[in-house]
């Protein structure tokens, strides 16, 4: 247990817990510095912060996980310690909502062409007021017993290269980094090993992140191997990057992630120290 978690999701995007319930669950799990980082929305932040403010010793960090394009690939960029009131967010998020709604329609159409039932209404209902994404289609498939796990839904229909992996014109990495920086946050590449890049390519990504004004990389998250964790820490050290870590928690049903759980490590440039109020830094294990 780390006592902090800088990467989590709520019902505002593809998580299963409401923002309030997420904060309470994190607190119960021993987390004392928590960032909510929903995909492409800030809608959960105010309820989460209100809840956190009532819990003694709980530090809440406003965050977001922005979907963006680097070269031809989709990258996830964490914005940590952002100001949700920054004026640039409103239009940016509106664009992403429209983009995700239109993409959802295309995903449904593509799946229908493959002989599946039209899942759009059900996926929309599951997403509720939150940003719609592929996990909501996976849940619709699960509900209809078309698959037995969400993973299977991705393997068969929604994952990379499958019919439901519909391309979208996400904002560029430069634009996403710019937005995070303008709002006073730290711009961090999420789960760098999940894009299946070679390390050479990853270094190129980091160069472009830095050129755009970004800050660092997530080095620890569930599933990171000890070798990858070490390589990421070395890369961070060489480039003087900030490093971050989090569970990428989505749901209590995902047995392989739980709040505050990911491999431990030491770094002199841990972003959590920057995100805590003065005087509290260094108190975490
Ligand atoms: P989207 O933002 O709509 O492209 O959906 C991406 C989300 O789908 C990720 O944030 C994960 O929560 C989930 N996801 C992506 N790939 C997989 C996978 N192979 N198995 C299960 N969930 C996945
Ligand atoms: Mn997700
Ligand atoms: Mn992600
Ligand atoms: Mn995530």
């Amino acid at each position: 247990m780390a006592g902090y978690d800088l990467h989590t999701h709520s019902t505002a995007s593809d998580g299963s817990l409401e923002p309030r319930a997420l904060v309470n669950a994190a607190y119960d799990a021993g987390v004392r510095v928590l960032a909510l980082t929903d995909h492409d929305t800030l809608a959960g932040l105010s309820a989460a912060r209100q809840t956190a403010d009532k819990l003694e010793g709980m530090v809440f960090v406003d965050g977001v996980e922005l979907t963006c394009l680097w070269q031809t690939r989709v990258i996830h960029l964490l914005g940590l310690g952002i100001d949700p009131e920054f004026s640039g967010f409103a239009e940016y998020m509106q664009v992403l909502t429209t983009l995700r709604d239109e993409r959802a329609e295309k995903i449904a159409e593509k799946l229908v062409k493959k002989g599946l039932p039209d899942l759009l209404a059900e996926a929309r209902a599951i997403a509720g007021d939150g940003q719609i994404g592929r996990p909501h289609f996976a849940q619709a498939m699960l509900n209809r017993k078309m698959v037995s796990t969400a993973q299977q839904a991705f393997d068969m229909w929604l994952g990379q290269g499958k019919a439901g992996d519909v391309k979208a014109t996400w904002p560029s990495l430069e634009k996403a980094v710019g937005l995070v920086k303008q709002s006073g946050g730290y711009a961090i590449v999420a789960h760098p090993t999940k894009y299946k890049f070679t390390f050479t390519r990853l270094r190129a990504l980091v160069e472009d992140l830095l050129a755009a004004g970004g800050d660092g990389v997530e080095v620890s998250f569930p599933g990171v191997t000890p070798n990858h964790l070490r390589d990421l820490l070395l890369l961070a050290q060489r480039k003087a990057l900030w490093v971050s870590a989090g569970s990428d928690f989505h749901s209590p049903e995902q047995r392989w992630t739980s709040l505050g759980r990911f491999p431990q490590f030491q770094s002199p440039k841990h972003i959590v120290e920057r995100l805590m109020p003065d005087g509290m830094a260094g108190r975490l294990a």
Side-chain angles (χ1 to χ4, degrees):
M1 259 304 300
Y4 68 91
D5 195 331
L6 301 178
H7 189 159
T8 66
H9 296 273
S10 76
T11 50
S13 65
D14 56 354
S16 73
L17 300 182
E18 298 273 349
R20 288 182 178 82
L22 176 85
V23 172
N24 284 319
Y27 193 77
D28 290 346
V31 172
R32 293 297 178 268
V33 184
L34 173 72
L36 175 61
T37 55
D38 274 307
H39 299 285
D40 303 329
T41 180
L42 310 182
L45 296 177
S46 85
R49 177 171 287 284
Q50 277 175 31
T51 306
D53 283 350
K54 292 189 193 111
L55 299 169
E56 203 193 324
M58 182 63 139
V59 175
F60 183 73
V61 175
D62 289 296
V64 68
E65 185 174 11
L66 296 173
T67 313
C68 56
L69 281 176
W70 176 65
Q71 299 178 349
T72 60
R73 294 289 306 275
V74 177
I75 296 289
H76 289 176
L77 182 81
L78 293 169
L80 296 174
I82 55 170
D83 173 8
E85 303 301 325
F86 170 63
S87 60
F89 275 122
E91 191 193 335
Y92 190 98
M93 294 306 172
Q94 188 51 53
V95 168
L96 283 167
T97 299
T98 306
L99 194 141
R100 280 185 171 274
D101 285 344
E102 290 174 1
R103 172 173 172 255
E105 286 174 26
K106 286 186 203 142
I107 291 173
E109 280 169 27
K110 285 265 182 116
L111 294 174
V112 165
K113 282 199 185 125
K114 290 279 171 189
L116 269 60
D118 187 349
L119 298 170
L120 183 60
E122 200 168 329
R124 280 225 166 104
I126 294 162
D129 294 333
Q131 283 286 32
I132 193 164
R134 288 177 288 163
H136 304 108
F137 283 90
Q139 186 62 47
M141 290 176 188
L142 262 174
N143 292 356
R144 293 189 187 214
K145 306 218 174 353
M146 295 164 58
V147 291
S148 47
T149 60
Q151 184 59 52
Q152 200 186 356
F154 274 88
D155 291 345
M156 291 176 70
W157 306 110
L158 299 164
Q160 212 183 331
K162 304 293 171 188
D165 176 30
V166 174
K167 299 282 167 281
T169 50
W170 305 104
S172 66
L173 175 73
E174 287 71 22
K175 215 169 166 192
V177 170
L179 182 74
V180 168
K181 295 314 295 175
Q182 279 175 14
S183 76
Y186 293 95
I188 307 276
V189 174
H191 43 64
T193 60
K194 293 214 180 143
Y195 312 115
K196 300 201 163 69
F197 291 160
T198 60
F199 241 76
T200 306
R201 193 105 193 273
L202 196 54
R203 278 194 292 270
L205 169 59
V206 164
E207 292 298 339
D208 286 355
L209 173 86
L210 291 174
D215 300 287
V217 291
E218 216 178 20
V219 296
S220 182
F221 37 88
V224 74
T225 63
N227 282 347
H228 280 154
L229 173 54
R230 189 202 56 212
D231 290 348
L232 288 168
L233 282 168
L234 274 173
L235 177 64
Q237 197 184 356
R238 267 189 214 121
K239 295 282 165 190
L241 306 174
W242 288 97
V243 302
S244 186
S247 67
D248 205 359
F249 176 89
H250 283 73
S251 159
E253 278 151 41
Q254 288 181 322
R255 298 276 166 226
W256 62 94
T257 54
S258 55
L259 288 157
R261 290 280 299 276
F262 41 83
Q264 299 294 291
F265 64 95
Q266 297 287 324
S267 167
K269 287 203 62 163
H270 201 312
I271 200 82
V272 77
E273 300 283 344
R274 275 298 174 104
L275 297 168
M276 282 192 283
D278 290 344
M280 248 192 90
R283 273 216 239 150
L284 291 170

